[in-house]
Amino acid sequence: MDKLMNQVRELQSISHELLYLGIDGTPIYTDRFCQLNTKVFRLSESLFDRKGETDEEEASLCLALLMGYRATAYSDSNKEAKIQEILDRAFIVLDHLGNSVLKCRLLVSCYSEVLDEELIEEIRRIVDGWGSGRQLSSEEETVVEALKELEDSKL
């Protein structure tokens, strides 16, 4: 299963790069965009039928696939159906996850697809449970920032 998780991490990484390409003001080169887009699409397609052995692996896989399909410019006739299937899998695994950064990241990704306010409320409950008396990890800070962006975008 290490190979699967390495592929999941790779898909998350290159999807993130593709989603935020040029946002820092650096030029976007067509060849780099095409290369990333193709790689994300192919890796998403190769992982689509895979399943995680644990709830955490399945959640990470669903997160990576949602990121991948959202990031890619390719749109075959099955893309929306695949996203819906991933969402169905994600909603099943979310019920089995403890309150964690992974759960929050998956909730954020699901919200981006379905815009269900209950998902934001669940993220807020988890973040509030982390307490204000301790230093948040960088991953937790990222979740807090994502939550703020979601809340700001609703205004």
Side-chain angles (χ1 to χ4, degrees):
M1 203 42 70
D2 276 341
K3 182 179 179 190
L4 172 63
M5 292 312 296
N6 286 338
Q7 290 175 316
V8 165
R9 282 189 286 279
E10 179 183 13
L11 179 56
Q12 287 178 352
S13 175
I14 59 175
S15 295
H16 184 271
E17 183 180 351
L18 182 57
L19 282 167
Y20 293 97
L21 193 64
I23 205 161
D24 61 356
T26 58
I28 300 172
Y29 296 101
T30 305
D31 58 337
R32 180 66 179 149
F33 174 78
C34 290
Q35 177 190 36
L36 286 172
N37 202 42
T38 300
K39 191 170 185 179
V40 167
F41 180 75
R42 287 183 179 156
L43 191 51
S44 296
E45 290 291 291
S46 72
L47 290 174
F48 179 75
D49 289 324
R50 304 284 302 272
K51 304 283 188 229
E53 288 185 9
T54 67
D55 292 332
E56 288 74 17
E57 287 178 356
E58 180 68 3
S60 293
L61 178 57
C62 288
L63 175 61
L65 288 168
L66 287 171
M67 289 174 69
Y69 284 115
R70 185 178 324 114
T72 187
Y74 292 119
S75 183
D76 65 13
S77 61
N78 296 331
K79 185 174 181 178
E80 291 304 317
K82 288 177 180 177
I83 290 171
Q84 184 58 56
E85 187 174 327
I86 297 162
L87 286 168
D88 293 343
R89 290 168 53 183
F91 287 126
I92 290 169
V93 77
L94 280 166
D95 289 336
H96 301 284
L97 293 175
N99 293 342
S100 64
V101 170
L102 174 59
K103 184 173 187 172
C104 288
R105 290 183 65 211
L106 185 53
L107 285 165
V108 167
S109 197
C110 289
Y111 176 81
S112 297
E113 296 294 334
V114 300
L115 304 176
D116 183 341
E117 298 296 320
E118 289 180 24
L119 300 176
I120 290 179
E121 289 302 319
E122 187 165 356
I123 298 166
R124 189 176 295 113
R125 281 192 297 273
I126 294 169
V127 167
D128 289 347
W130 290 340
S132 58
R134 69 174 178 85
Q135 181 71 30
L136 297 179
S137 71
S138 62
E139 288 181 323
E140 290 169 335
E141 287 287 343
T142 302
V143 168
V144 171
E145 289 172 23
L147 176 60
K148 182 174 178 2
E149 288 176 15
L150 291 176
E151 291 172 333
D152 289 348
S153 70
K154 293 185 331 180
L155 300 176

